[in-house]
Amino acid sequence: MAGSDKIKRINGKHIKHRANIHISSVVERETTFLVKSSTPFVSALKRIHKMLDKFNKTITTNTRKYQGGDYKNVKFITVKGMGKTIETTLGIANKLQNEANYRVDVLTGSVEVLDEFAPPDSSDGPPKGAIQETVFQKRMVSYVELHVWLKRE
Amino acid sequence: MDKRKKIFNTRTIRTELADPAYKDGLLSVPEFLGARSFEIRSFEISQLKTRASAANRVFQSLPRILRRRTASHNVKRVPKRLRNRAIREMQDTNITKKKPTSKQIYQLRMSKKLLKLASRVKLLKSVPIDSQTHMKSRIKQLNEQLADLRSSKSHNKPVLNNIMGSYDNTGVNELAVRPKGNLKYSKRQREHVWLTTHVWHAKRFHLVKRWGYQIPLSPTQKCFKSTNRAAKSNTIIFDTSYFDSLIMDYDETVISNLIKPSISVLKGHKSYNGWLYIDSKPVGICLMYCSPAAGKTLLRIHPSIYEELFNHIRETYGVNLQDCRYSLGSIELVGPTSLRSLNKIFHITKEIPEFKNLCNYNDDFQPGTTMSFNIKDPRLWSKPVNPPVSQEMSYNDLIIKLSSGLIDQESILQLFDPEGRNHSYLNQHTTKELNKHPDPAGINESIPILLTKTSSSWCLIVPWFWVLPIWLKLNQISHIHLGGMNQLKQLDFENGRLSYLEDYPYLPESWIDNELQIKLSQQKYNKLPLSKRQREKFEKGLLSFGNDWEFLTKLIFITKKVGKLEDKFEFGQFDENMVKQIRSVDDLVDHVDSSRNFKLCIELFDPNNSFHQSFTRGDYKVDLSKLPKLPIRIVRFELPNGTLNDHARIYVENASHIQNLVGFVTTGGYNLNRGKMAGIGYISAHIPEGTNLVIRNIGTSKEHKIKLI
């Protein structure tokens, strides 16, 4: 979408549909971290470290589970952030790369999200100027994706 | 090798006794170290071996959900990947053959005799006649039975068109007759109807008799955490056929009187999930789907208010009604993979690429999204399969497309019509038959279904006797999770939704439910030994079970009338009419106990109600002979410390004085989504917002501060 086309404001209940839509497998769930705008920076960092440590033979006690099977092919942990969380995500990348000495790849892109505007719930009917029927609007949002490479040994 | 010897061998640790490192009074250090390392290694090996030899049988290491009662001697009860090991273990154990019991010998002899008799009957081509029964009376009996059968046929019952015994049991403009079920178990179903999945559930669930049904309550296996987890990543299925449905003529004025519909609901694009009103009063939560094309409206509601609603619609509006309690069943699915699970077992008669595409995505549809189509008998496919997706569609486009519904009007017409539903059972085969002949001739391939999203789940509405085949097929999907009424309540609680009945204490049905729960818990409590019956001493006059709203109402209004109550008075005081005056808490307790009438005495706070306004301001007057209903408002809270149970009491400041009582907790417990104890409760509306509240569980003296959320 061109920057000059400003999106028109719509009065209604704004329902944001999620951008992360694909059903993920168990391994994907355990190796992907999604940064939300409400995620505190340090807790995100701690949780990512916890994920990374599971694969590290020298730290974890449960070595067998994460060294074999489907986990064997896992090369990196994915951290994703979109919109206003890009800054937090890049901060995480910085910390992991420079302080924890992980190899971090940064990928950028944009993702299509859907906004739904529904008529407001009111027993007296919708207020003046509000929409009567549900309106959909697509929007492009930038995102970054980090690949934090595992240290297995 | 027998087991004892094997264990003995594994437990002996090899050592080098004559140490070669020590020669002529000199110790050779490298040799000594070598010998010790050998000893350490063999010690470690021995440890490992001991663990392996004493290890349990293979089925004992399985998670609880995969364990089976007969796994020790029946390898088919062990998962396939472990069967070889299980067979080996079974061969290792020395099983002595048991001698046949006298009963077994007797049974064998009897069956031999019966076989002989059967062959003789076959030779004679006739059945031996019982000489004691008079022939005439026998013929008379048979005639009576035939006449009975004929009369029952003419009673509005459709003709059976299948060997399963499925038929459409709809009451047209009257309440439907309760289905008798299988003849063998009909006596047990006289008062409480069995769902079609009853026998399946009876083996795996605790059941409860309520509202004219035997309802699955919760699985016999522990499932508190797994339910929470499955709702986030998998599918949980519930048989909710006990929710009652009725179908009425499409009439916009009737619909607008019963609910507050939006345009898309009236057009039939979306279903309605929300309050149902009788005479402008909210009475319960309902699901409604209007189909102007079919000229019909489906209403699905909790069984506790069904009959009242049915009679209300029939008497007030005079529209044509179908009582579909026993002709429409439903399955609810919760979790992000719900649509994928349905996709795996549904084989749709017409090509609908939109539905097939849904199997790839997390479920993120808005409540009200509705689909309707015809499917083939799911039992014709032996295993659930992922459908091939012919044309990929973007998920956002799918959401936009489905917002106006994916409705096949023919399916709706068939589903909303008694004859159409009955026609769906045409040539319905038994599962046994289908297993023998996987591709039988003359199979009917159109089952109409309605799939709609409610505020909490996907609701699948199908003809009553198709619930079981679909249910059994859904259970073949790996990682599918099961739930009953308690799990629905748990999920509502964890997601911050109010569950119908428990969390609406001001509704008449909920009041009846609360009274019933009090009675049942009282009966259970009375059976405990005296040492464990210590609740009363903490309750100070409150009922020891459930939420005692009557006490709270009287406490608040009487305190308003007579002013602050003293803790204790030595003597009771009487007025000129010899009525005891209420001066202390003890007097109040006596008064409440003697004047209990167990009638609904609370209502939801309404800011437009003039009495409620004056109640919150505190400038109202009380007539003790006719107490008004107590206005209450909801509170949601977390508990930083301590535990919380249902029916805990809510106090202002501290729980040491009964006068501080302001409300009760309707649902309380551990909320796994929050990771904390949390609760939903109601307090008297005169308590200003932001007041410090504490809770106390029933039968305890400890109080805990709460944090409102």
Side-chain angles (χ1 to χ4, degrees), chain A residues 15 17-18 21 112 136 138, chain B residues 362 364 366 395-397:
Chain A
I15 301 157
H17 286 273
R18 61 171 86 172
I21 48 173
E112 188 188 77
F136 288 96
K138 286 178 186 171
Chain B
N362 269 319
D364 186 29
Q366 283 301 303
Y395 187 60
N396 291 339
D397 291 336

Side-chain angles (χ1 to χ4, degrees), chain B residues 134-174:
Chain B
H134 207 272
M135 189 62 83
K136 262 189 180 174
S137 64
R138 182 82 189 117
I139 289 169
K140 204 180 162 188
Q141 260 180 13
L142 286 169
N143 276 339
E144 275 170 8
Q145 279 176 7
L146 271 172
D148 272 2
L149 280 175
R150 276 195 202 112
S151 65
S152 67
K153 243 184 197 176
S154 63
H155 186 73
N156 226 349
K157 227 176 183 182
V159 184
L160 270 188
N161 55 13
N162 57 78
I163 47 169
M164 281 272 276
S166 310
Y167 67 100
D168 187 70
N169 183 4
T170 307
V172 180
N173 289 326
E174 59 177 6

Side-chain angles (χ1 to χ4, degrees), chain B residues 228-267:
Chain B
N228 175 271
R229 246 179 265 143
K232 286 176 188 164
S233 55
N234 291 332
T235 313
I236 314 176
I237 50 173
F238 304 86
D239 184 358
T240 50
S241 299
Y242 57 90
F243 271 78
D244 291 336
S245 315
L246 68 84
I247 290 172
M248 58 182 181
D249 286 350
Y250 180 84
D251 186 334
E252 283 194 17
T253 46
V254 178
I255 294 166
S256 320
N257 280 334
L258 291 172
I259 60 167
K260 286 176 179 159
S262 66
I263 299 163
S264 49
V265 168
L266 285 174
K267 277 185 184 169

Side-chain angles (χ1 to χ4, degrees), chain A residues 118-122 125-126 130-135, chain B residues 250 252 255-256 259-272 288-293 368 403-405:
Chain A
D121 300 328
S122 167
I131 47 165
Q132 301 289 322
E133 281 267 17
T134 309
V135 178
Chain B
Y250 180 84
E252 283 194 17
I255 294 166
S256 320
I259 60 167
K260 286 176 179 159
S262 66
I263 299 163
S264 49
V265 168
L266 285 174
K267 277 185 184 169
H269 294 167
K270 282 189 167 185
S271 66
Y272 170 86
M288 191 186 268
Y289 177 72
C290 312
S291 173
S403 70
S404 57

